[in-house]
Amino acid sequence: MELPVLFDDLKNNLIVLKLGETPLTLLKADTTYERSRQPHFNFFSENIAVTHSQLQNKDVTVKAIETYDSMSSFVYDLIGNKLEVCSF
């Protein structure tokens, strides 16, 4: 089965595939793992500005929205795990 590509960033070895309602993000890793390099889990948002605002209004710790080829913001759960909300 071939999955449609929603986004790719070949320079950074990243590809996002359509898999049902939640996209599947794949990142080519080195043989060593750097814990702070990428979050372990991310969420997709159709409108990251609205999602970012809603999270802030619920007192979730969020970082500013960053824009690359896509847009993303990092959030932290109640025990400090780093998660990503992205849009492309």
Side-chain angles (χ1 to χ4, degrees):
M1 175 170 87
E2 195 169 313
L3 301 175
V5 175
L6 295 175
F7 174 78
D8 66 60
D9 181 353
L10 301 179
K11 180 177 71 174
N12 292 306
N13 297 315
L14 174 76
I15 190 167
V16 180
L17 305 173
K18 181 168 178 54
L19 182 65
E21 292 182 22
T22 303
L24 173 64
T25 302
L26 301 174
L27 174 68
K28 182 178 178 184
D30 299 327
T31 55
T32 58
Y33 174 72
E34 298 174 36
R35 184 173 183 89
S36 64
R37 184 173 176 197
Q38 293 287 336
H40 293 282
F41 193 80
N42 65 21
F43 299 93
F44 175 76
S45 171
E46 296 269 337
N47 187 328
I48 196 164
V50 170
T51 302
H52 188 266
S53 178
Q54 289 173 340
L55 290 169
Q56 280 184 317
N57 290 339
K58 293 184 183 290
D59 294 325
V60 174
T61 302
V62 296
K63 298 285 185 176
I65 296 172
E66 301 175 22
T67 303
Y68 305 101
D69 292 332
S70 65
M71 297 174 70
S72 64
S73 177
F74 297 101
V75 300
Y76 297 85
D77 69 12
L78 295 175
I79 58 173
N81 293 308
K82 185 177 180 181
L83 307 169
E84 180 180 11
V85 178
C86 64
S87 181
F88 42 84

